[in-house]
Amino acid sequence: MPTETMQSETLKSTIRDPRVVAVIERMQAERRRPPTGGPRENPEDSHNPFDYSDIGFSIHPEQGDLIYMLCRGMRATRVVEFATSVGMSTLYFAAAMRDNGGGKVIGSELVPAKVATAKRNLVEAGLADYAEIREGDARQTLRDLGGPVDFALIDGWPLDDEGPSLALQVIKMVAPQLRLGGYVMNDNAEPDFLDFIRDPQNGFLSVTLPQKGDRVFG
Ligand SMILES: C[S@@+](CC[C@H](N)C(=O)[O-])C[C@H]1O[C@@H](n2cnc3c(N)ncnc32)[C@H](O)[C@@H]1O
């Protein structure tokens, strides 16, 4: 049982920590899109993640706040994200881990330059101790999460072939490593991911939330 002192200590640190806010605000100010839209908006654009090493495709602050609140509410201490990019979602997860009294976000990112940027952002926010970013293809690096996780963000990347989406491939790998009662958040509503998550046989309940201004996603 937490004592009153412990509770007030926990309540003191929140996602509004000025050091974290400063990094998020800078990243927001630097946010930009590829001139022709990017691989999800424009099928003609390159689908090679290495062509976008300086573009975050990051979640938006209201999504980050939701991640933070859910992680705080469920007292999460082990969470995973596919993928990390330049570390925006990682910051919200890592802040929640710290403010829950300790924990780890396991990140994954294919592009080494993005891993380096994400690590710099975490250091600047004072949150580096709460993140482990695994460099490489998440289909390999997230195979073994070392124990049950409380929360998984599936925020992936479009492939240029007709096969299963990366989101589906990764959730199939991560779902057995999710604890009972754990949460999954997905940003891009890949149709085969939604089919999986909405199939009652797979044991999930799902809702679609309107976020990111005028966009709706699952
Ligand atoms: C939408 S972004 C992630 C944004 C991040 N969650 C955030 O909010 O800051 C998708 C990322 O997936 C990465 N990626 C693409 N294929 C990957 C793979 N097979 N394994 C790991 N990362 C991959 C891309 O380089 C890109 O940075």
Side-chain angles (χ1 to χ4, degrees), residues 65-190:
D65 281 350
L66 182 59
I67 286 174
Y68 178 85
M69 288 190 285
L70 291 172
C71 286
R72 292 301 308 274
M74 75 190 304
R75 303 270 191 268
T77 57
R78 300 191 76 253
V79 298
V80 62
E81 62 174 11
F82 165 63
T84 294
S85 188
V86 293
M88 182 73 95
S89 45
T90 329
L91 288 170
Y92 287 92
F93 275 123
M97 298 302 99
R98 178 194 59 189
D99 299 344
N100 279 345
K104 193 73 93 186
V105 48
I106 300 171
S108 55
E109 177 54 53
L110 188 63
V111 179
K114 287 187 156 184
V115 175
T117 306
K119 285 182 176 170
R120 276 199 305 276
N121 288 329
L122 285 157
V123 168
E124 198 179 317
L127 293 171
D129 288 349
Y130 304 94
E132 169 198 334
I133 302 173
R134 299 184 180 178
E135 187 175 305
D137 189 328
R139 291 169 291 185
Q140 306 303 325
T141 63
L142 301 185
R143 219 168 258 288
D144 180 4
L145 298 175
V149 288
D150 301 299
F151 196 122
L153 172 67
I154 306 291
D155 180 18
W157 188 262
L159 293 173
D160 54 7
D161 58 34
E162 299 288 311
S165 69
L166 276 172
L168 179 63
Q169 294 179 56
V170 174
I171 189 61
K172 281 187 165 175
M173 214 170 59
V174 166
Q177 304 183 74
L178 199 64
R179 77 150 157 92
L180 195 63
Y183 295 153
V184 176
M185 185 184 286
N186 161 252
D187 189 26
N188 302 306
E190 291 88 345

